[in-house]
Amino acid sequence: MLFIAVGAQAQSTAPLEVKRPGGSSVTLSAAQLAELPRPGDPSWVVPDEELHRHFNDVERKIDTLLYGRRMYEIMAGYWPTADQDPSAPGVIVEYAEIWKPVPKLVFSSTLERVDWNSRLIRGNAVAEVARLKAQPGDGSMVVGGLLLASALASAGLIDEYRLYYVPIFLGSGKAAFSQIQNSVRLKPVETHTFSSGTVLLRCASVTP
């Protein structure tokens, strides 16, 4: 089962579960950061301590991270040293310590190298993820990146979506799933409201 998380946090991920043959499962999740209407003003997506602890708890269960180029560069540009800042809150330090050792697959045709326990994949992302889903056994994966998530959604590879609604009107910006080629029907299975007002809506993908 494959999960995707959208809208709440630029630098954290939340899980998606992917069903494998024989009833076993692998979890895959994604953090989606749409382009902001005011470049350099990410304040609307910065989570408070409660929400960040939620992301930390989710990340702790992840076995593999799947990134597109842009999301990899965002994550690798911050988290490797985030826990070295003496002024960093405990939740930031904790997330950095969780993130660094997790194996990462980076899908890119332009990057020359990747670090932080990452492996660069230049082939077809949809075919590779489909191959990973078909493997036996249990596990968990996370998808990060708008183009990568849209491609996987269009191919019907995502089984569950975690949508985080932040109570703010931005007025403009880029839709998270503007690149999806086919409509995706969803069935709500769980909601949760955080003290900040952010609402988690967990949905299962409905097979036609």
Side-chain angles (χ1 to χ4, degrees):
M1 195 174 186
L2 173 62
F3 294 97
I4 185 165
V6 181
Q9 159 66 317
Q11 296 168 331
S12 291
T13 56
L16 328 137
E17 190 173 310
V18 184
K19 289 295 185 185
R20 278 180 168 167
S24 59
S25 67
V26 59
T27 302
L28 177 59
S29 75
Q32 302 306 325
L33 176 61
E35 291 182 3
L36 303 177
R38 298 180 299 279
D41 178 19
S43 58
W44 70 278
V45 293
V46 176
D48 61 9
E49 181 172 341
E50 178 197 20
L51 188 55
H52 213 303
R53 288 199 181 281
H54 163 76
F55 287 127
N56 290 4
D57 291 340
V58 167
E59 190 80 3
R60 198 174 280 110
K61 302 173 184 177
I62 300 304
D63 295 315
T64 306
L65 293 163
L66 310 182
Y67 287 142
R69 177 193 60 81
R70 186 174 179 181
M71 183 58 70
Y72 168 76
E73 291 177 335
I74 290 173
M75 302 294 282
Y78 179 76
W79 289 111
T81 59
D83 55 348
Q84 300 173 21
D85 181 356
S87 64
V91 289
I92 295 293
V93 172
E94 182 181 60
Y95 186 89
E97 293 173 346
I98 296 169
W99 180 85
K100 284 189 285 188
V102 177
K104 304 164 187 69
L105 303 182
V106 182
F107 296 90
S108 173
S109 60
T110 58
L111 287 175
E112 294 296 326
R113 57 170 292 177
V114 291
D115 298 302
W116 302 106
N117 204 21
S118 302
R119 179 162 62 94
L120 183 61
I121 298 179
R122 300 188 184 278
N124 183 283
V126 170
E128 178 64 15
V129 172
R131 185 187 69 81
L132 291 173
K133 285 185 62 175
Q135 293 179 353
D138 295 334
S140 60
M141 297 184 290
V142 174
V143 180
L146 295 175
L147 293 178
L148 178 58
S150 293
L152 298 180
S154 295
L157 292 174
I158 298 176
D159 302 294
E160 185 173 299
Y161 295 73
R162 292 190 180 188
L163 311 174
Y164 292 83
Y165 292 92
V166 180
I168 183 173
F169 287 130
L170 295 177
S172 61
K174 182 179 179 180
F177 290 107
S178 60
Q179 301 300 312
I180 288 183
Q181 301 299 314
N182 306 306
S183 62
V184 179
R185 296 185 58 193
L186 304 177
K187 177 183 178 181
V189 295
E190 178 192 1
T191 60
H192 177 78
T193 302
F194 297 90
S195 59
S196 63
T198 296
V199 177
L200 162 62
L201 174 60
R202 187 165 65 90
C203 297
S205 179
V206 178
T207 303

